[in-house]
Amino acid sequence: VDKRYNETIIRNARRLERLAENILDVSRIKENKLKLYIEEFVLNDIIINAIDDVLISIADNKRTTIYNKTKILYNSREPIYIKADKDRISQVIYNILNNAIKFTEGGTILIDVQNNEDSVVVLVKDTGIGIAPEIQPKLYSKFVTDSCHGMGLGLYISKNIIEKHGGRVWAENNANGEKGATFGFSLPLTN
């Protein structure tokens, strides 16, 4: 009983910490005080770490019974070096993945990275329930969610982080009768 009690305390402390960080970020964005610490790093490593973090978070929230059939697929190819804020880009990938997992029960989440001449594009494609038409236009706004998990701040914060880097974000339901949605963002490649 003590072990389960401790796990519950730790889990809720982590949740509160994430919530506090999100609220602070919203306030930083509002006051235009979101700072970026630019360094060069390998994007592939950040994606792999974000996958691990999301899987740990699921286990922490005891949602494993619901989501243990959900597969996350990522084929890491040659290393992609980018100059950006490593922690903030990690946060964006975590937020998008976490969002995909909420709506993809027993399906597949595919992460694809496209290295273009002047930008890098990260796509997270799921086979979930898709984006509800009424949510679509305000998906990246504050407090918009179609889920009982979270407050709908993750995508709003992610959009602001990417745009501060000079990139853009988008989301759309999959075409050609495919189930689910694809969330993407691009970052400029600075030489």
Side-chain angles (χ1 to χ4, degrees):
V1 177
D2 282 348
K3 187 173 184 276
R4 269 180 50 209
Y5 185 67
N6 286 343
E7 282 172 1
T8 305
I9 291 170
I10 290 165
R11 184 170 67 248
N12 285 310
R14 278 193 196 137
R15 194 177 297 144
L16 281 171
E17 185 184 27
R18 274 198 299 270
L19 179 61
E21 273 303 319
N22 280 344
I23 290 166
L24 278 172
D25 278 345
V26 168
S27 144
R28 286 179 191 121
I29 288 162
K30 213 167 137 189
E31 293 167 22
N32 203 16
K33 287 184 177 165
L34 190 74
K35 286 191 169 63
L36 298 180
Y37 300 94
I38 305 298
E39 59 182 309
E40 190 175 52
F41 60 91
V42 178
L43 182 60
N44 317 53
D45 299 343
I46 293 303
I47 293 171
I48 290 162
N49 291 344
I51 294 168
D52 288 344
D53 290 347
V54 163
L55 293 173
I56 289 165
S57 166
I58 292 168
D60 274 357
N61 291 329
K62 296 282 181 282
R63 299 191 312 211
T64 40
T65 48
I66 301 169
Y67 301 112
N68 64 359
K69 293 186 186 82
T70 304
K71 286 192 195 84
I72 302 176
L73 306 174
Y74 170 55
N75 296 327
S76 177
R77 293 188 292 269
E78 75 285 343
I80 297 169
Y81 291 88
I82 63 168
K83 280 185 185 157
D85 186 315
K86 192 175 179 180
D87 291 336
R88 290 297 185 184
I89 298 304
S90 295
Q91 186 181 358
V92 169
I93 295 166
Y94 174 89
N95 283 342
I96 292 174
L97 266 179
N98 199 39
N99 192 65
I101 275 180
K102 283 179 199 172
F103 298 102
T104 309
E105 197 176 312
T108 305
I109 297 165
L110 178 68
I111 304 165
D112 186 32
V113 181
Q114 297 163 359
N115 203 356
N116 303 328
E117 224 168 275
D118 56 352
S119 69
V120 65
V121 174
V122 177
L123 299 169
V124 177
K125 183 179 181 178
D126 66 56
T127 59
I129 58 171
I131 304 161
E134 65 274 15
I135 295 263
Q136 178 83 45
K138 50 190 182 183
L139 195 64
Y140 284 97
S141 306
K142 260 184 294 190
F143 307 116
V144 173
T145 182
D146 202 13
S147 156
C148 54
H149 306 291
M151 286 180 66
L153 293 175
L155 292 180
Y156 167 77
I157 293 166
S158 298
K159 176 181 189 280
N160 281 278
I161 289 170
I162 295 300
E163 287 177 353
K164 189 136 175 106
H165 278 87
R168 65 183 196 89
V169 296
W170 62 90
E172 58 206 1
N173 282 318
N174 296 330
N176 308 322
E178 266 189 88
K179 270 177 67 180
T182 300
F183 287 74
F185 68 87
S186 66
L187 286 170
L189 281 175
T190 45
N191 296 324

